[in-house]
Amino acid sequence: MAFACVVPRASAATQAATHPVSTPAPATRQVLVMLRMPSPHFRPDGAYGGGYTEDGTRAARRRVARDLAATYGLRVVDDWPMPAIGIDCFLMEDTGTGPVDRLLDTLAHDSRVAWAQAIQDYHGLADGDPLLPVQPATHAWQLPALHRASTGRGVTVAVIDSGVDANHPDLDGQIKLRRNFVDAYPDGAEAHGTAVAGIIAAREGNGLGIAGIAPGAKLLALRACWETAGPPARCNSFTLGKAINFALMSDARVINMSLGGPRDRLLETLLDAALARGVTLVGAADPAQPDGGFPASHPGVIAVASDTQRAPPPGSLRAPGTDVPTSLPGARFGLVSGSSYASAHVAGLAALVLELRPGTTPARLRADLDGGARIVPAALASGAGQAGSIDACAAVARAAGACFCLCPSTTTTASLPSPRPPH
């Protein structure tokens, strides 16, 4: 089977990961007005963790704040005691139209006010995705440039695999739905499915982990495989058949199958039905099989080998598949290798194309990817086979109708339309 060994490498940053909280930006006409607290000492209590007990004068300061608001055309929005610096802080909103700087100067000269200031905006200094610089697709596929043209928004990708950790912080909100088609083994978050899902659609710019190839896509996490102590995952024609059927009934535009095994009539029939419906099928090429194994070798399926695989099957495409950082169960990240993960890259790339050109047929999409593939001379010299490494930039540029990044393949960019700004 085309499953690769997962080598987890958790980082301290991932272990301490938390979900980002979205805070609305403050209104530009909001100001902070500080009123002095009385100088007698205070004592901290449990209510504020550094707050203060009601000193009997707080009500008076609130009355002063209301008087100030009425005098200067302000509205009191909120307040908070800050006894560590001896003030009560009042958030007020200017209801007038005059310059805020003039208002602040006027407040500063009112004897009742300790000081007044504009409310400022701050931002965190963490990188958007800490592991993005070491993702192979960042450099080989110019991933940030691809995302300026497309993120796969509106495209549903079915991940037929082992269990996906829908609670992983880099997959939070990326799973459209999750279904289990394995009755014999308990459901749960598993390594292979979670890793594949992360490569396809991990959240972008959330300060955690990686960026998926298609972070705007939504995933159907369809558990048709289960993980044991032996191979990374096992499936059978019944569980896979149920999952593929469900994907078709759920209007998936792309189906990723990072798995391999013998030909099967039920599965062949389902794959033919998927192709007839215009669904793009992506399969991992089994390095142990000369033809890539099934389903990768099935007519119409885009077979994908790892870019470091020697003698990949004829007709297959090559994509990043060695030491790829991705999501693992339990809010972890690790490095994975194998054609399973190369297939996930291409499933994400298909979603990018389909956002830009929704009516693209599976055959046209395959032709676009094949036209954007190039044989590396060094690979030819070493007898590595005739599979081409995908030029993702050129492939997406065809769909966008413009060159938006440096397309290294001069033979593929010559036929592109005149550049236009990406939508």
Side-chain angles (χ1 to χ4, degrees):
M1 298 182 73
F3 289 95
C5 178
V6 176
V7 184
R9 295 186 186 179
S11 68
T14 62
Q15 294 173 359
T18 57
H19 294 275
V21 178
S22 176
T23 303
T28 56
R29 302 194 65 83
Q30 287 186 336
V31 297
L32 298 177
V33 179
M34 316 300 176
L35 302 185
R36 291 185 182 86
M37 296 173 65
S39 27
H41 52 270
F42 62 91
R43 65 174 182 85
D45 64 15
Y48 293 107
Y52 76 122
T53 54
E54 184 67 49
D55 62 9
T57 65
R58 183 121 197 267
R61 288 193 298 280
R62 283 177 169 166
R63 284 195 298 271
V64 171
R66 288 194 296 269
D67 290 341
L68 287 167
T71 301
Y72 299 115
L74 300 170
R75 181 177 67 87
V76 178
V77 177
D78 201 358
D79 66 282
W80 194 259
M82 299 183 182
I85 55 174
I87 57 98
D88 263 353
C89 177
F90 288 85
L91 173 62
M92 299 189 187
E93 188 170 87
D94 182 14
T95 59
T97 58
V100 174
D101 288 345
R102 184 181 302 169
L103 169 67
L104 291 173
D105 183 65
T106 303
L107 286 167
H109 288 84
D110 192 302
S111 60
R112 297 169 292 179
V113 176
W115 80 86
Q117 65 178 68
I119 191 166
Q120 313 269 21
D121 288 333
Y122 293 83
H123 62 275
L125 300 178
D127 291 335
D129 299 285
L131 297 177
L132 181 62
V134 296
Q135 287 182 239
T138 297
H139 307 288
W141 283 13
Q142 301 181 58
L143 189 59
L146 293 185
H147 288 168
R148 289 197 291 270
S150 174
T151 62
R153 185 178 301 278
V155 179
T156 299
V157 179
V159 177
I160 296 180
D161 214 296
S162 60
V164 174
D165 184 357
N167 294 319
H168 193 286
D170 236 2
L171 292 171
D172 181 34
Q174 304 300 82
I175 311 295
K176 188 175 182 179
L177 58 84
R178 186 178 185 279
R179 291 288 186 276
N180 177 38
F181 297 98
V182 181
D183 297 327
Y185 292 86
D187 192 7
E190 294 166 302
H192 193 271
T194 302
V196 166
I199 291 170
I200 296 173
R203 295 177 61 192
E204 182 180 36
N206 63 342
L208 297 172
I210 66 169
I213 303 301
K218 294 300 180 185
L219 302 182
L220 304 179
L222 308 182
R223 184 180 185 247
C225 308
W226 58 95
E227 297 184 4
T228 64
R234 296 179 181 273
C235 327
N236 62 44
S237 52
F238 183 53
T239 59
L240 290 171
K242 289 190 290 183
I244 295 171
N245 177 74
F246 186 89
L248 296 183
M249 301 304 292
S250 301
D251 298 322
R253 296 295 313 283
V254 180
I255 297 178
N256 183 75
M257 298 167 289
S258 291
L259 53 97
R263 292 191 174 277
D264 181 277
R265 182 174 179 178
L266 170 64
L267 301 185
E268 287 180 322
T269 303
L270 285 164
L271 296 181
D272 287 340
L275 292 167
R277 292 176 180 227
V279 178
T280 296
L281 304 175
V282 185
D286 187 343
Q289 301 296 325
D291 65 350
F294 180 84
S297 61
H298 186 76
V301 175
I302 300 174
V304 187
S306 172
D307 54 2
T308 58
Q309 181 178 325
R310 294 182 61 84
S316 62
L317 297 174
R318 299 163 70 96
T322 303
D323 290 338
V324 180
T326 187
S327 50
L328 295 175
R332 296 179 300 129
F333 296 89
L335 298 179
V336 297
S337 296
S339 59
S340 282
Y341 310 109
S343 175
H345 277 78
V346 174
L349 182 57
L352 299 186
V353 172
L354 288 170
E355 179 195 341
L356 295 168
R357 205 170 56 204
T360 303
T361 65
R364 171 67 187 275
L365 197 150
R366 174 64 172 79
D368 282 347
L369 298 183
D370 200 20
R374 59 196 187 282
I375 307 298
V376 180
L380 286 176
S382 65
Q386 298 296 312
S389 294
I390 293 174
D391 182 342
C393 184
V396 175
R398 283 185 170 79
C403 269
F404 47 86
C405 56
L406 296 176
C407 301
S409 176
T410 56
T411 59
T412 57
T413 57
S415 60
L416 288 174
S418 298
R420 62 176 174 82
H423 80 289

